[in-house]
Amino acid sequence: MFTSERGVVEEWLSEFKTLPETSLPNYATNLKDKSSLVSSLYKVIQEPQSELLEPVCHQLFEFYRSGEEQLLRFTLQFLPELIWCYLTVSASRNVHSSGCIEALLLGVYNLEIVDKQGHSKVLSFTIPSLSKPSVYHEPSSIGSMALTESALSQHGLSKVVYSGPHPQREMLTAQNRFEVLTFLLLCYNAALTYMPSVSLQSLCQICSRICVCGYPRQHVRKYKGVSSRIPVSSGFMVQMLTGIYFALYNGEWDLAQKALDDIIYRAQLELYPEPLLVANAIKASLPHGAIKSNKEGTKCIQVEITPTSSRISRNAVTSMSIRGHRWKRHEQPDNNNDTTELGILVIPEISVTNVSGERTGNGEKGRTLGEIDAQHMQGVQETATDPRAESKGLPEIRRQKSIRKMMEDGINSPGRVQF
C-alpha cells in the first residue's frame, strides 16, 4: 500500500470523528464521489495484516448504524470483498486475523434482522403469476390455454414466500456461517441498483474465485493466493447468481459471464439442484448477438417490446366459414367475369325416378336425360349471347333463375306420371 493511499484512508478516519451531526447528510452525499478513497479502502480490506483494517471496519460499521441511507450504501458496496476475505481466512484456519471483519459482518447482520423498534423482521416475496400482465410479458402473447374450472378457481390466487424471523448471532461458526452470509448477500442484492461499477466488478471476481479455488479450473483462470477449497451452500450460490444476473446487463458483461460459467461448474461438482436450475435458466435467456459495446465500454440490450394486441388472428377457419365466404363471393356482382362463366355455375336439379317411385326403362331414361341436357345447353347459349348481360349483373342472375325454372318444367313433362 502506497503512502498516498494510506494518507487518504487516515484523513477519512479522522474527518468523520470530528464531523457534527448537522453536516452528516452533505458528507454522505459527497462521499460516493471520492473514487480514490474507495480504491484505497479496497486495498486495506485485501490486506488482512494491515493495521488500518480494524479502524476501517469500525468506521464502516458506524456508517451502517448511523441511519443515513447514503452511508449505509457506502458500507454495502464493500460487502462482497469483505465476505471473500473472511472465507479465505476461514479456509486457511487463521481465524484470529479476521476478527474485525467477522465483527463487521455480524454487526450488519444483527442490524438487518430487526426493524427500528427492535422487533424481528419477516421478509415476504410474492411470486408473480403468468395470468397477469407485467413489464416482462403479456398474457395474450402466451397463447390459448385450456382453462378448467379448477384452474379458473385458482386464477386470482398468489403465492407468497416468507423469510424469517432470523435469530441473533454472537459469533460465526461452521454451522451458522453460510446462513449469515446468505442473508448478507440478500441485503446486498436488495441495493444492487445503487452499487457502483467497482462493487459489481468485485462481486463477479469473488464469485469466480469462491467457485474454482482448489479445483482444476483454478489453473485455467490463473488465480493465485488461495489453493484450498472454499465450502459453499446452495442458498449462498443462488444469491450470488442474483447479483451476477444484474451485473450481466449493467456494464459487466464479460466478468459476469465468466462468473456464471464458474458457478455452473461448481454447482455441477456439488450436485446442487437450485443453483443449477437458476444458472441454466439465466444462461438460456442470454441474448445471442444482442449485446453491443460502445467506446466507453458500457453494454446495452436490444429487446423486442411485446405488442399490446395479438399479431395472429384468433378466428378459427372452419368449413362453415369457408362455405359462407364462397356464397358471399358468388352473390356479389362481378362485371369483369365473362357471362359464360355465370351460366356454367348454374347446377340444375335432375330427378331420374318417377314421383310414384316406379323405375323407368333404359330408353326412356336416356331420352329424358337427353332432352334435359339439350334444354340446359340451349338456356346457357341464350344466356351467353344476351348482350345486356355485360352491363347488368343482377338481371342476369334473375334470368338464370328463370332458366332454372324452365328446366324444372321440362323435367315435369307430360311423359311423367303425376298424381
Side-chain angles (χ1 to χ4, degrees):
M1 188 174 182
F2 297 104
T3 307
S4 59
E5 296 172 343
R6 184 184 181 90
V8 171
V9 175
E10 290 176 347
E11 181 182 358
W12 170 70
L13 292 171
S14 59
E15 182 182 6
F16 182 73
K17 293 178 181 179
T18 59
L19 191 68
E21 293 184 1
T22 55
S23 58
L24 192 62
N26 294 332
Y27 171 79
T29 304
N30 299 328
L31 193 62
K32 63 180 181 180
D33 299 329
K34 298 180 179 181
S35 57
S36 59
L37 172 64
V38 173
S39 60
S40 300
L41 290 176
Y42 269 108
K43 292 184 178 180
V44 171
I45 296 173
Q46 291 168 0
E47 296 180 5
Q49 305 300 330
S50 176
E51 59 182 11
L52 292 176
L53 181 60
E54 185 174 352
V56 165
C57 290
H58 177 74
Q59 183 144 318
L60 288 177
F61 179 69
E62 293 293 331
F63 278 10
Y64 204 87
R65 70 174 185 175
S66 65
E68 187 66 33
E69 195 69 23
Q70 296 288 343
L71 295 179
L72 184 146
R73 294 169 186 167
F74 183 82
T75 301
L76 274 181
Q77 69 176 326
F78 300 102
L79 193 59
E81 195 68 35
L82 290 169
I83 291 176
W84 163 250
C85 292
Y86 170 76
L87 289 177
T88 54
V89 173
S90 300
S92 63
R93 304 292 193 274
N94 189 8
V95 184
H96 299 286
S97 61
S98 64
C100 55
I101 297 179
E102 180 180 344
L104 175 58
L105 295 177
L106 279 173
V108 173
Y109 168 80
N110 290 327
L111 286 176
E112 282 293 336
I113 62 175
V114 295
D115 54 15
K116 294 181 179 179
Q117 287 75 27
H119 303 293
S120 299
K121 288 194 293 187
V122 178
L123 305 179
S124 62
F125 174 76
T126 303
I127 298 178
S129 175
L130 292 178
S131 62
K132 297 180 180 180
S134 68
V135 295
Y136 301 102
H137 80 289
E138 290 286 343
S140 59
S141 63
I142 299 177
S144 60
M145 296 179 291
L147 294 177
T148 61
E149 186 176 355
S150 60
L152 286 173
S153 63
Q154 301 178 357
H155 203 56
L157 300 179
S158 57
K159 186 177 180 180
V160 182
V161 180
Y162 297 97
S163 174
H166 298 275
Q168 294 275 345
R169 300 295 183 185
E170 296 182 358
M171 63 179 299
L172 291 178
T173 63
Q175 185 177 3
N176 62 18
R177 177 179 300 151
F178 280 99
E179 179 186 348
V180 174
L181 297 181
T182 301
F183 184 80
L184 290 176
L185 268 187
L186 177 65
C187 299
Y188 176 83
N189 292 333
L192 274 174
T193 55
Y194 304 102
M195 296 296 105
S197 60
V198 63
S199 181
L200 296 179
Q201 293 172 8
S202 174
L203 174 67
C204 297
Q205 291 171 356
I206 68 108
C207 287
S208 292
R209 290 178 178 270
I210 289 174
C211 292
V212 303
C213 280
Y215 292 92
R217 182 170 282 200
Q218 181 178 5
H219 304 288
V220 178
R221 299 299 188 196
K222 298 180 181 180
Y223 293 150
K224 299 179 180 179
V226 180
S227 58
S228 58
R229 296 182 181 181
I230 299 176
V232 290
S233 66
S234 176
F236 184 76
M237 295 183 72
V238 171
Q239 292 301 324
M240 286 196 301
L241 285 170
T242 304
I244 294 301
Y245 190 40
F246 180 84
L248 274 169
Y249 299 110
N250 288 272
E252 306 301 332
W253 173 262
D254 297 329
L255 287 175
Q257 198 170 23
K258 184 186 297 184
L260 178 61
D261 294 336
D262 293 338
I263 292 176
I264 294 176
Y265 170 78
R266 181 64 181 272
Q268 289 174 345
L269 294 175
E270 300 287 351
L271 297 179
Y272 286 153
E274 292 86 359
L276 280 175
L277 178 63
V278 177
N280 287 322
I282 293 175
K283 193 170 184 178
S285 66
L286 293 180
H288 299 283
I291 299 296
K292 290 185 177 181
S293 60
N294 53 22
K295 295 181 180 179
E296 287 76 15
T298 58
K299 311 292 182 181
C300 61
I301 317 171
Q302 294 177 351
V303 296
E304 181 180 359
I305 301 176
T306 305
T308 55
S309 61
S310 179
R311 297 179 180 179
I312 303 174
S313 175
R314 298 184 181 273
N315 297 327
V317 179
T318 62
S319 58
M320 287 295 295
S321 63
I322 295 175
R323 189 180 301 124
H325 179 71
R326 183 185 302 164
W327 290 122
K328 290 179 182 179
R329 184 183 62 185
H330 289 167
E331 291 176 1
Q332 293 178 356
D334 191 359
N335 297 330
N336 297 328
N337 294 337
D338 193 11
T339 55
T340 306
E341 297 179 359
L342 291 174
I344 294 174
L345 290 174
V346 179
I347 303 176
E349 296 180 359
I350 303 174
S351 177
V352 296
T353 60
N354 292 329
V355 178
S356 60
E358 297 178 359
R359 184 177 298 178
T360 58
N362 293 334
E364 184 181 356
K365 179 179 178 181
R367 180 179 56 80
T368 305
L369 291 176
E371 292 175 359
I372 292 172
D373 293 338
Q375 292 177 3
H376 172 60
M377 292 302 297
Q378 183 179 0
V380 172
Q381 292 175 0
E382 291 177 0
T383 304
T385 56
D386 191 355
R388 292 177 296 175
E390 297 181 359
S391 59
K392 298 181 179 180
L394 292 175
E396 181 61 26
I397 296 176
R398 297 192 188 98
R399 188 175 184 85
Q400 293 176 19
K401 292 182 179 179
S402 63
I403 293 173
R404 181 174 180 177
K405 190 174 185 308
M406 290 171 58
M407 296 173 62
E408 291 176 353
D409 294 338
I411 294 174
N412 297 327
S413 59
R416 296 172 62 91
V417 180
Q418 298 290 337
F419 291 96

